[in-house]
Amino acid sequence: MKKLFFLFAAAILIITTVHAQTVPGDLTSAASSGFNVKSLTKSIMGKLVPALSLTDTQKPGVTSAITDFLTQKSKILPLQQTDAGSYNTKFTSLFNGLKTKLGGLISPTQLTSFLGLKPSTNDPKNVLSNLYY
């Protein structure tokens, strides 16, 4: 009876250990595609601050809006490969939300400049492509 108890306890321990080390699907796909929200936000802000002449009071709000947008985008990113139509619909909604948030944080001139920063194509070398595509 003791052997059976220890065997059962060992099996539970092994199963628990395996499940604790498993990464959820959303995190795996985002990480495997190189989509790191924190580093992307930093790189994007590095481009936006000078391009939009953001003030010190605007920077935290814009950074937060960009971080929220990229976090939400990371959740729908797998759809880009499996269901492009659904991805485009959801991305458009997310981007419109970003524009609305930014509209309350920056001036209309800055918002127009922000929209003008969109690369002509989805260029992986241009960090701003992560915002527009």
Side-chain angles (χ1 to χ4, degrees), residues 64-115:
S64 177
I66 298 296
T67 301
D68 291 346
F69 170 79
L70 292 175
T71 300
Q72 292 173 350
K73 181 182 174 187
S74 72
K75 294 176 183 174
I76 65 165
L77 210 51
L79 291 174
Q80 196 173 27
Q81 303 298 320
T82 60
D83 187 357
S86 180
Y87 171 80
N88 288 335
T89 301
K90 291 180 181 190
F91 177 81
T92 300
S93 176
L94 287 176
F95 189 74
N96 287 336
L98 174 63
K99 287 191 301 188
T100 300
K101 281 183 184 177
L102 290 177
L105 298 168
I106 60 178
S107 72
T109 304
Q110 288 172 311
L111 185 59
T112 301
S113 296
F114 170 77
L115 296 174

Side-chain angles (χ1 to χ4, degrees), residues 12-129:
I12 296 294
L13 181 63
I14 290 171
I15 291 170
T16 304
T17 304
V18 169
H19 284 289
Q21 295 178 5
T22 304
V23 177
D26 284 349
L27 295 176
T28 303
S29 59
S32 66
S33 66
F35 200 85
N36 182 322
V37 172
K38 187 176 180 180
S39 68
L40 282 175
T41 299
K42 185 176 180 180
S43 297
I44 289 169
M45 288 302 293
K47 298 259 186 179
L48 293 181
V49 169
L52 303 178
S53 300
L54 295 176
T55 65
D56 288 339
T57 57
Q58 291 173 323
K59 289 177 191 176
V62 173
T63 301
S64 177
I66 298 296
T67 301
D68 291 346
F69 170 79
L70 292 175
T71 300
Q72 292 173 350
K73 181 182 174 187
S74 72
K75 294 176 183 174
I76 65 165
L77 210 51
L79 291 174
Q80 196 173 27
Q81 303 298 320
T82 60
D83 187 357
S86 180
Y87 171 80
N88 288 335
T89 301
K90 291 180 181 190
F91 177 81
T92 300
S93 176
L94 287 176
F95 189 74
N96 287 336
L98 174 63
K99 287 191 301 188
T100 300
K101 281 183 184 177
L102 290 177
L105 298 168
I106 60 178
S107 72
T109 304
Q110 288 172 311
L111 185 59
T112 301
S113 296
F114 170 77
L115 296 174
L117 292 173
K118 180 178 180 180
S120 56
T121 61
N122 187 3
D123 180 8
K125 294 178 183 176
N126 186 344
V127 72
L128 293 179
S129 289

